Amino acid sequence: EKGIDLSITQDYKLAKDNELRFEVESNARVKLDLLEGSAEVFGTELVRSRSYIFESGAKIAVFTWFGCSVKLSGKVEASYVSKDTPMVIYLNTHAAVEQLRKSAEQDDIRGPRVLVVGAQDVGKTTVCRLLLNYAVRLGRKTTLIDIDVGQGGVSIPGSVGALTVERPADPVDGFDLKVPLVYHFGHTAPNGNIKLYETLISRLADVFNAKCDYNKQVKHSGCIINTCGWVKGQGYQCILHTAQSFEADVVLVLDSERLYNDLKRDLPDFVNVILQPKSPGVVERPREARRDNRENKIKEYFYGPRKIYFPHAFNIKFSEVEIYKIGAPSLPDSCLPLGMEPENTQTKLVQVTPGRDMTHHILSLSMAESLDENLIETNVAGFVVVTNVDPDNQVFSVLSPAPRPLPRKYFLIMDIRFIDINK
Ligand code: ADP
Ligand code: MG
């Protein structure tokens, strides 16, 4: 309970269908206790035997279906109780999706594939978490497909991935991320490399289909696809591409009537496009908050939540590994070899000679064992961050969640940098 100002406490009594919303101030922590009744945080039931400690920056809603009382201790920013929530609507959506899982099970066909879309800060990630939690509470094994490269939940920013959810999210730490399938993207927004982004989405769909072929429970449980808030222009094309690749059955549009109408027009009739309100509780995050979130996500990857781990630091000889960047600088059309389309350069591998400018960049270690495997479409074992490059001695230093030796030798370099201030 370090860092919690216990002199500040407040009890709240919540009537049925109400929620308590609060935010934790920066550099503060807040303790939540369930005193009476039942309550949940984004679909995970709270227990009375545990105190939940939320870290700075957390934005939380404690919702109750039947009424409860809770206590908050510590410095809370903006806490209030609201009865204005779309939780009943979301629960009905869950019930409808669950009905599709039941039919899928009966007929042994693919379960529902739900694509969640909308602008930034409309609660997409939260709705995905809610739907996954409700499904797993019924014994389903639904897969989260996360293609939000900026604020994704499966791994660090600059990656996309899939995670089959087998237990509810922890109210504080979220889903258990021990065994996600992760792919390197390298940028915090899809327009960093659209062609690569779409390639990875198709790849994830193929991999998920393959998993459905050998695991019936996964097949019947379907998937929930979390997206980023880019819904205009090429972002919209990416949404269409995702719906097609995954053969989405349901597209859940949060808050945007315009997007809803466009999707209804452009998607085939058998796709069930539905418009739902956003929760008035969803908090808008300014640009800096998004950047801080990203940095925290990376920090957590190396140090664990609440810094419970310590990463390994070691040197790698230039000669031990090969580093590649995805995407060659685009050339004017007239310079391209005959028959090569300009966009092909976006998914070209270019070997990088390690130099000082690589410092602070994140590298993804590919699972590929040889270059015969397509590095771009091979999942990654994990990430390291370059902390120093010493060209004179032909070595670079990294921070890594795992000790030496490296299990593989091919790295992909990200545009994303992380400066480790814990050193
Ligand atoms: P999106 O994925 O659309 O950008 P999120 O689901 O990440 O939006 O929600 C934005 C922020 O709002 C998150 O920090 C989330 O924890 C918070 N949030 C979501 N729903 C609520 C709510 N009902 N009450 C309070 N905070 C909420
Ligand atoms: Mg999100």
Side-chain angles (χ1 to χ4, degrees), residues 121 123-126 146 148 151-152 226-229 285 290:
D121 298 328
K124 296 178 299 300
T125 301
T126 306
D146 206 323
D148 183 353
Q151 308 282 324
N226 182 40
T227 60
C228 59
R285 290 165 298 186
R290 302 182 160 273

Side-chain angles (χ1 to χ4, degrees), residues 19 21 59-61 121-126 279 281-283 285:
E19 74 183 19
R21 298 173 186 149
K59 298 165 180 54
I60 304 297
D121 298 328
V122 293
K124 296 178 299 300
T125 301
T126 306
S279 167
V282 175
V283 185
R285 290 165 298 186

